[in-house]
PDB file of all heavy atoms in Angstrom:
ATOM      1  N   ASN I  81      23.070 -66.012 -91.683  1.00 91.00           N
ATOM      2  CA  ASN I  81      24.061 -65.194 -92.301  1.00 91.00           C
ATOM      3  C   ASN I  81      23.817 -63.836 -92.452  1.00 91.00           C
ATOM      4  O   ASN I  81      23.863 -63.276 -93.563  1.00 91.00           O
ATOM      5  CB  ASN I  81      24.691 -65.792 -93.542  1.00 91.00           C
ATOM      6  CG  ASN I  81      26.123 -65.363 -93.829  1.00 91.00           C
ATOM      7  OD1 ASN I  81      26.902 -65.141 -93.049  1.00 91.00           O
ATOM      8  ND2 ASN I  81      26.225 -65.082 -95.182  1.00 91.00           N
ATOM      9  N   LEU I  95      37.571 -55.821 -75.154  1.00 89.00           N
ATOM     10  CA  LEU I  95      38.373 -56.461 -76.258  1.00 89.00           C
ATOM     11  C   LEU I  95      38.897 -55.368 -77.157  1.00 89.00           C
ATOM     12  O   LEU I  95      38.407 -54.285 -77.304  1.00 89.00           O
ATOM     13  CB  LEU I  95      37.454 -57.348 -77.109  1.00 89.00           C
ATOM     14  CG  LEU I  95      37.024 -58.730 -76.353  1.00 89.00           C
ATOM     15  CD1 LEU I  95      36.230 -59.514 -77.290  1.00 89.00           C
ATOM     16  CD2 LEU I  95      38.163 -59.441 -75.671  1.00 89.00           C
ATOM     17  N   LEU I 105      33.620 -64.260 -87.000  1.00 88.00           N
ATOM     18  CA  LEU I 105      34.387 -65.245 -87.744  1.00 88.00           C
ATOM     19  C   LEU I 105      34.804 -66.392 -86.821  1.00 88.00           C
ATOM     20  O   LEU I 105      34.829 -67.524 -87.168  1.00 88.00           O
ATOM     21  CB  LEU I 105      35.610 -64.597 -88.442  1.00 88.00           C
ATOM     22  CG  LEU I 105      35.259 -63.557 -89.418  1.00 88.00           C
ATOM     23  CD1 LEU I 105      36.497 -62.702 -89.832  1.00 88.00           C
ATOM     24  CD2 LEU I 105      34.734 -64.217 -90.734  1.00 88.00           C
ATOM     25  N   ALA I 124      41.197 -52.174 -92.878  1.00 89.00           N
ATOM     26  CA  ALA I 124      41.468 -51.304 -94.053  1.00 89.00           C
ATOM     27  C   ALA I 124      40.257 -50.614 -94.607  1.00 89.00           C
ATOM     28  O   ALA I 124      40.183 -49.418 -94.855  1.00 89.00           O
ATOM     29  CB  ALA I 124      42.285 -52.056 -95.196  1.00 89.00           C
ATOM     30  N   PRO I 165      21.770 -46.795 -86.566  1.00 87.00           N
ATOM     31  CA  PRO I 165      23.093 -46.893 -86.135  1.00 87.00           C
ATOM     32  C   PRO I 165      23.623 -45.446 -85.876  1.00 87.00           C
ATOM     33  O   PRO I 165      24.911 -45.421 -85.304  1.00 87.00           O
ATOM     34  CB  PRO I 165      23.922 -47.642 -87.256  1.00 87.00           C
ATOM     35  CG  PRO I 165      22.989 -47.302 -88.480  1.00 87.00           C
ATOM     36  CD  PRO I 165      21.564 -47.212 -87.986  1.00 87.00           C
ATOM     37  N   GLU I 180      29.840 -42.745 -95.453  1.00 87.00           N
ATOM     38  CA  GLU I 180      30.733 -43.935 -95.279  1.00 87.00           C
ATOM     39  C   GLU I 180      29.958 -45.277 -95.486  1.00 87.00           C
ATOM     40  O   GLU I 180      30.376 -46.220 -96.076  1.00 87.00           O
ATOM     41  CB  GLU I 180      31.559 -43.842 -94.019  1.00 87.00           C
ATOM     42  CG  GLU I 180      32.553 -42.818 -93.986  1.00 87.00           C
ATOM     43  CD  GLU I 180      33.708 -43.000 -92.932  1.00 87.00           C
ATOM     44  OE1 GLU I 180      33.593 -44.103 -92.301  1.00 87.00           O
ATOM     45  OE2 GLU I 180      34.505 -42.187 -92.807  1.00 87.00           O
ATOM     46  N   PRO I 252     -12.751 -30.603-116.179  1.00 94.00           N
ATOM     47  CA  PRO I 252     -11.481 -31.120-116.506  1.00 94.00           C
ATOM     48  C   PRO I 252     -10.317 -29.925-116.317  1.00 94.00           C
ATOM     49  O   PRO I 252     -10.468 -28.964-116.915  1.00 94.00           O
ATOM     50  CB  PRO I 252     -11.585 -31.539-117.932  1.00 94.00           C
ATOM     51  CG  PRO I 252     -12.968 -31.871-118.151  1.00 94.00           C
ATOM     52  CD  PRO I 252     -13.739 -30.871-117.259  1.00 94.00           C
ATOM     53  N   LEU I 280       0.910 -29.594-101.967  1.00 96.00           N
ATOM     54  CA  LEU I 280       1.726 -28.605-102.760  1.00 96.00           C
ATOM     55  C   LEU I 280       2.950 -28.267-101.996  1.00 96.00           C
ATOM     56  O   LEU I 280       2.809 -27.662-100.917  1.00 96.00           O
ATOM     57  CB  LEU I 280       0.873 -27.366-102.935  1.00 96.00           C
ATOM     58  CG  LEU I 280       1.544 -26.164-103.755  1.00 96.00           C
ATOM     59  CD1 LEU I 280       1.910 -26.596-105.161  1.00 96.00           C
ATOM     60  CD2 LEU I 280       0.622 -24.984-103.672  1.00 96.00           C
ATOM     61  N   HIS I 284       7.362 -25.345-104.579  1.00 94.00           N
ATOM     62  CA  HIS I 284       6.741 -25.258-105.759  1.00 94.00           C
ATOM     63  C   HIS I 284       5.872 -23.877-105.986  1.00 94.00           C
ATOM     64  O   HIS I 284       5.314 -23.617-106.997  1.00 94.00           O
ATOM     65  CB  HIS I 284       5.753 -26.337-105.988  1.00 94.00           C
ATOM     66  CG  HIS I 284       6.468 -27.612-106.389  1.00 94.00           C
ATOM     67  ND1 HIS I 284       6.066 -28.930-106.078  1.00 94.00           N
ATOM     68  CD2 HIS I 284       7.567 -27.740-107.239  1.00 94.00           C
ATOM     69  CE1 HIS I 284       6.954 -29.730-106.631  1.00 94.00           C
ATOM     70  NE2 HIS I 284       7.883 -29.182-107.303  1.00 94.00           N
ATOM     71  N   VAL I 294      -3.386 -13.708-103.663  1.00 92.00           N
ATOM     72  CA  VAL I 294      -2.640 -12.704-102.951  1.00 92.00           C
ATOM     73  C   VAL I 294      -2.767 -13.054-101.438  1.00 92.00           C
ATOM     74  O   VAL I 294      -3.922 -13.161-100.987  1.00 92.00           O
ATOM     75  CB  VAL I 294      -3.021 -11.237-103.183  1.00 92.00           C
ATOM     76  CG1 VAL I 294      -2.247 -10.174-102.308  1.00 92.00           C
ATOM     77  CG2 VAL I 294      -2.734 -10.985-104.738  1.00 92.00           C
ATOM     78  N   ARG I 312      -0.783 -15.978 -95.109  1.00 95.00           N
ATOM     79  CA  ARG I 312      -2.192 -16.276 -94.908  1.00 95.00           C
ATOM     80  C   ARG I 312      -3.004 -15.927 -96.194  1.00 95.00           C
ATOM     81  O   ARG I 312      -2.925 -14.764 -96.596  1.00 95.00           O
ATOM     82  CB  ARG I 312      -2.866 -15.437 -93.647  1.00 95.00           C
ATOM     83  CG  ARG I 312      -4.284 -15.665 -93.479  1.00 95.00           C
ATOM     84  CD  ARG I 312      -4.762 -15.235 -92.197  1.00 95.00           C
ATOM     85  NE  ARG I 312      -4.311 -16.124 -91.064  1.00 95.00           N
ATOM     86  CZ  ARG I 312      -4.795 -17.354 -90.771  1.00 95.00           C
ATOM     87  NH1 ARG I 312      -5.841 -17.717 -91.512  1.00 95.00           N
ATOM     88  NH2 ARG I 312      -4.314 -18.014 -89.756  1.00 95.00           N
ATOM     89  N   ALA I 350      -7.775 -40.930-101.378  1.00 81.00           N
ATOM     90  CA  ALA I 350      -8.835 -40.542-100.490  1.00 81.00           C
ATOM     91  C   ALA I 350      -8.706 -41.243 -99.110  1.00 81.00           C
ATOM     92  O   ALA I 350      -8.367 -42.405 -99.070  1.00 81.00           O
ATOM     93  CB  ALA I 350     -10.171 -40.870-101.125  1.00 81.00           C
TER      94      ALA I 350
END
Side-chain angles (χ1 to χ4, degrees):
N81 197 38
L95 293 182
L105 296 166
E180 288 202 4
L280 179 61
H284 283 147
V294 176
R312 178 165 289 282

